[in-house]
Amino acid sequence: MRIRNFSIIAHIDHGKSTLADRLLQATKAVSEREARAQLLDSMDLERERGITIKASAVTVTHRYKDEDYELNFIDTPGHVDFTYEVSRALKACEGAVLVVDSTQGVQAQTVANAYLAVGNNLTLIPVINKIDLPAANPDKVAMEIEQVLGLPAEDCLPVSAKTGQGIHELLDRIVERLPPPPAEKMRQLRALVFDCKYDDYKGVVLYIRVFDGQIKHGDKFRMMGTGRTFNAIELGRNTPFPQKMKALTFAQVGYLCAGIKSLAEVRVGDTITLDNDPATEALEGYEEPKQMVYCDFYPATDDEGTGKRADFESLREAMEKLHINDASFTYEVQHSEALGFGFRVGFLGLLHMDIVQERLEREGGVNIIQTAPTVSYQVMKLDGTLVEIHNPADLPDMGVVAEIREPIVKIEIICPNDNIGDLMKLCDARRGCFQSQMAIGEDRQMLIYELPLAEIIYDFYDKLKSVTRGYGTMDYEIIAFRADNLVKVQILVNGDAVEALAMICHRENADQRSRSILAKLKGQIDRHQFEIPLQAAIGGKIIARESIKSMRKNVIAKCYGGDISRKRKLLEKQKAGKKRMKQIGSVSIPQEAFMAILDQGD
């Protein structure tokens, strides 16, 4: 049996999952009765949103020139937030099928994923999808692929994943063009753990690619990174439905169950070897994912109107269970004066944050209050120590701070020629630094800017789509931390600092953002029996203020004429009561107020 291992990579919504469906049908892996759209997207959330969140590994058989070939392929996500999933999948492959939409052409994530594959020394097969559409222009897109990625236009294979046109030619080309797995370097078992998930009945399921040797049912194996040993209870592969096997041998991809109860005992990127005959050298693993966006999750008030907070333990259990299936986010216990106990959670990006929140609410059955997202900063102290903070509340006293460094991203924007000027204005307004500009075909350009990550995590993508009428795409990567004139802005409600609303921003933008946030807070916080001052402060200096007027009873309504001193006495008594109430009264802040910072770019 000959083997080919490859991944399917593309920009989001260019047809990867549909192409995977057709490959399964063309190789008779699924029958017409079993087939359904997005077969490999097992989560309801993936099917509803039409996006791939988790990579899926599948084994199929293709007959070529009277010989059977085992094709192991991985359907990967396309969104920039899930690049970590793509990089893990590429480590287990020798080639990649690069899918490009024939109506949209080369997009930002197309370029990023292609470079990622080339960086891993993979052979690329360019595929132009959706040629059945009236607006398809495969010849033009083929020239774009040659111009931007350097892949010959004549090598581009036109297919339609919807109708099945060109699918058999693609399978033949995979066998012809993609290299077979490299020869074994040693006889001892070495298998790479490229993904894992938690199953309620089987425990942690490991997805592995065998590079050397073989593993059989019942073998005792060792995780070379953690040193833990387990017994192989079940081996198999997805075809795409789980199929048990007695052994996984050289170059094969499959799953392994060993009754592991916690993901903490497993590290993705680790090497598996036999305990009684171990390998001396581990395989090259992965860099740990770098969380760049942080926010707080707190249990929300219940639905019965009692005003009580949901059980913190329920949120903890939901968080632990989700972390078993998605180890790319981090969390730690956080306490807020306004919201009680919750978690400070780190994400790979904004979409990742949105997905995690929705999965917690669906799968964990908890309602969540989410604070506005922030990014991580590096703080250089006067004594030379460098600390990393993920929460503005953790910023040390400015008297001991030498400089604050913020994350800078290199952003690639692909857009129509007509929108170049508007996008340059947008980037310049976000403290962007122009790097280069390149033509992609006749009617599109690629802009490359360097921008602070904090300037793009709020509404930059929405503004980009608005300016380009939906035709613009972007991809970014963190390149450095750089010092700038950054300050911490505290939001004071009734004189008390609300740490959940604190932010770090550039001093030039502090006044404008503060006024915007206070105006939104004023509209979200209900009026009380006393006046509520809303203030923004940098250190001890107030830079912006709004006031929420108090609800007042007309205490002089019962006075019909008479001496003015009687009216004055009643007003003074009311005034003293309001003052006393303000000193001991508390202000309730709704969740919408904590989300006000999200719209601060408006």
Side-chain angles (χ1 to χ4, degrees):
M1 179 74 75
R2 291 162 172 76
I3 296 176
R4 298 290 186 272
N5 297 315
F6 64 96
S7 291
I8 304 175
I9 57 176
H11 186 80
I12 190 169
D13 200 31
H14 277 206
K16 295 181 304 300
S17 297
T18 308
L19 181 64
D21 292 344
R22 294 294 84 75
L23 292 177
L24 292 174
Q25 286 182 282
T27 55
K28 303 293 191 294
V30 295
S31 64
E32 291 293 332
R33 182 177 59 83
E34 295 169 326
R36 63 171 183 167
Q38 290 178 265
L39 182 65
L40 299 183
D41 291 342
S42 55
M43 276 190 281
D44 291 339
L45 198 56
E46 291 179 309
R47 304 181 67 79
E48 287 173 16
R49 293 187 175 225
I51 60 174
T52 301
I53 297 170
K54 287 286 289 181
S56 303
V58 180
T59 300
V60 296
T61 303
H62 176 58
R63 192 158 188 82
Y64 176 73
K65 292 185 178 178
D66 297 326
E67 290 183 312
D68 287 333
Y69 286 81
E70 181 181 299
L71 306 182
N72 300 305
F73 70 88
I74 303 176
D75 178 26
T76 63
H79 195 276
V80 59
D81 283 6
F82 302 109
T83 302
Y84 176 62
E85 289 275 335
V86 180
S87 66
R88 293 193 320 201
L90 295 179
K91 284 280 188 181
C93 302
E94 283 79 47
V97 173
L98 179 67
V99 183
V100 183
D101 191 325
S102 62
T103 63
Q104 299 183 39
V106 174
Q107 301 291 338
Q109 199 65 22
T110 311
V111 179
N113 285 339
Y115 288 162
L116 202 59
V118 172
N120 282 279
N121 297 318
L122 302 190
T123 302
L124 284 174
I125 297 178
V127 170
I128 300 176
N129 192 20
K130 304 184 183 181
I131 60 171
D132 58 301
L133 297 179
N137 194 342
D139 294 336
K140 177 183 174 185
V141 173
M143 293 308 298
E144 283 186 9
I145 292 173
E146 179 172 318
Q147 181 178 349
V148 179
L149 303 177
L151 301 173
E154 57 270 17
D155 288 351
C156 297
L157 184 65
V159 305
S160 171
K162 184 177 180 180
T163 65
Q165 180 182 348
I167 296 299
H168 285 284
E169 290 83 353
L170 173 59
L171 287 166
D172 290 344
R173 184 165 294 189
I174 288 169
V175 172
E176 294 168 354
R177 293 286 182 89
L178 296 187
E184 294 179 274
K185 294 184 179 179
M186 58 182 71
R187 62 173 182 79
Q188 288 90 353
L189 169 69
R190 290 198 305 171
L192 180 70
V193 180
F194 67 86
D195 201 1
C196 58
K197 72 172 185 178
Y198 185 79
D199 185 278
D200 289 336
Y201 303 101
K202 298 179 180 179
V204 178
V205 180
L206 306 178
Y207 291 99
I208 62 173
R209 153 76 193 273
V210 180
F211 280 87
D212 300 296
Q214 68 171 348
I215 182 169
K216 300 186 297 295
H217 180 272
D219 280 348
K220 186 176 183 181
F221 65 89
R222 181 194 304 167
M223 311 285 289
M224 294 186 72
T226 62
R228 299 292 303 272
T229 58
F230 304 95
N231 288 316
I233 298 173
E234 182 182 333
L235 292 168
R237 57 186 184 181
N238 293 320
T239 63
F241 309 106
Q243 178 187 17
K244 292 184 181 180
M245 299 180 67
K246 293 181 179 179
L248 288 175
T249 59
F250 165 66
Q252 288 190 317
V253 174
Y255 67 83
L256 165 64
C257 301
I260 304 171
K261 298 302 181 186
S262 170
L263 201 71
E265 302 177 69
V266 178
R267 197 170 69 215
V268 173
D270 207 345
T271 301
I272 287 176
T273 189
L274 294 180
D275 188 49
N276 58 0
D277 187 16
T280 56
E281 182 183 351
L283 296 164
E284 182 184 355
Y286 316 104
E287 292 183 11
E288 287 296 312
K290 181 74 172 173
Q291 290 77 28
M292 293 310 302
V293 177
Y294 293 82
C295 77
D296 295 343
F297 284 170
Y298 297 94
T301 52
D302 64 10
D303 298 329
E304 299 175 359
T306 61
K308 294 181 180 178
R309 294 279 173 198
D311 186 9
F312 170 72
E313 289 303 319
S314 299
L315 178 58
R316 183 197 293 274
E317 289 174 12
M319 196 77 73
E320 289 174 350
K321 187 175 180 181
L322 181 59
H323 194 257
I324 286 175
N325 280 313
D326 182 3
S328 58
F329 74 89
T330 60
Y331 66 97
E332 59 184 20
V333 176
Q334 183 84 3
H335 181 262
S336 164
E337 291 292 334
L339 298 170
F341 281 97
F343 292 96
R344 185 73 177 171
V345 192
F347 309 94
L348 304 180
L350 278 185
L351 177 65
H352 189 211
M353 179 182 74
D354 192 22
I355 295 296
V356 167
Q357 180 185 358
E358 194 155 346
R359 290 186 69 185
L360 281 173
E361 293 183 341
R362 287 190 183 196
E363 300 169 18
V366 292
N367 291 326
I368 293 172
I369 290 178
Q370 169 200 331
T371 61
T374 59
V375 301
S376 57
Y377 293 90
Q378 291 181 351
V379 179
M380 177 64 75
K381 295 185 178 181
L382 293 174
D383 61 3
T385 58
L386 184 68
V387 295
E388 186 167 303
I389 63 167
H390 311 309
N391 189 347
D394 298 333
L395 186 68
D397 183 80
M398 293 304 292
V400 300
V401 174
E403 63 183 25
I404 304 175
R405 300 172 183 172
E406 61 182 343
I408 303 295
V409 299
K410 175 187 174 185
I411 183 169
E412 296 177 348
I413 301 172
I414 294 181
C415 64
N417 291 341
D418 298 342
N419 306 124
I420 289 291
D422 293 333
L423 281 175
M424 284 184 164
K425 288 180 183 177
L426 176 63
C427 293
D428 291 341
R430 301 299 175 98
R431 296 192 286 134
C433 178
F434 176 78
Q435 297 298 305
S436 63
Q437 181 176 347
M438 184 176 94
I440 298 179
E442 299 175 359
D443 54 357
R444 293 192 304 152
Q445 302 265 347
M446 177 190 286
L447 283 175
I448 299 179
Y449 266 82
E450 289 183 2
L451 281 160
L453 179 61
E455 296 287 347
I456 70 171
I457 67 168
Y458 294 110
D459 61 346
F460 185 86
Y461 188 68
D462 294 338
K463 293 282 178 70
L464 167 70
K465 286 293 184 182
S466 176
V467 165
T468 62
R469 299 186 299 281
Y471 290 106
T473 59
M474 60 175 259
D475 176 72
Y476 65 88
E477 61 174 336
I478 309 291
I479 57 170
F481 279 81
R482 292 179 189 161
D484 210 331
N485 189 13
L486 303 173
V487 292
K488 177 184 176 181
V489 178
Q490 284 274 27
I491 303 298
L492 310 176
V493 177
N494 199 27
D496 297 325
V498 182
E499 292 295 352
L501 293 178
M503 63 177 177
I504 296 176
C505 67
H506 198 273
R507 187 177 289 274
E508 290 181 358
N509 303 330
D511 290 2
Q512 174 198 344
R513 290 195 171 179
S514 299
R515 284 193 293 271
S516 174
I517 292 169
L518 294 186
K520 287 179 172 60
L521 285 177
K522 184 178 179 180
Q524 296 293 346
I525 298 178
D526 294 332
R527 292 173 69 184
H528 288 54
Q529 293 287 347
F530 50 90
E531 182 179 289
I532 304 171
L534 306 175
Q535 299 166 305
I538 299 176
K541 181 182 178 183
I542 303 297
I543 61 171
R545 173 177 172 131
E546 292 279 356
S547 295
I548 300 175
K549 297 297 182 183
S550 61
M551 294 186 293
R552 297 187 62 180
K553 177 183 176 182
N554 189 0
V555 294
I556 59 174
K558 58 187 176 182
C559 299
Y560 297 96
D563 188 26
I564 187 66
S565 61
R566 173 64 179 157
K567 296 180 181 179
R568 188 175 293 121
K569 182 179 179 181
L570 289 171
L571 290 170
E572 290 296 329
K573 184 178 178 181
Q574 184 189 45
K575 183 178 178 182
K578 295 283 185 186
K579 183 177 180 181
R580 187 167 60 253
M581 195 184 299
K582 182 176 181 180
Q583 292 172 344
I584 63 174
S586 62
V587 180
S588 59
I589 306 174
Q591 179 185 357
E592 289 77 11
F594 290 95
M595 298 305 293
I597 299 179
L598 278 171
D599 301 321
Q600 66 185 3
D602 294 343

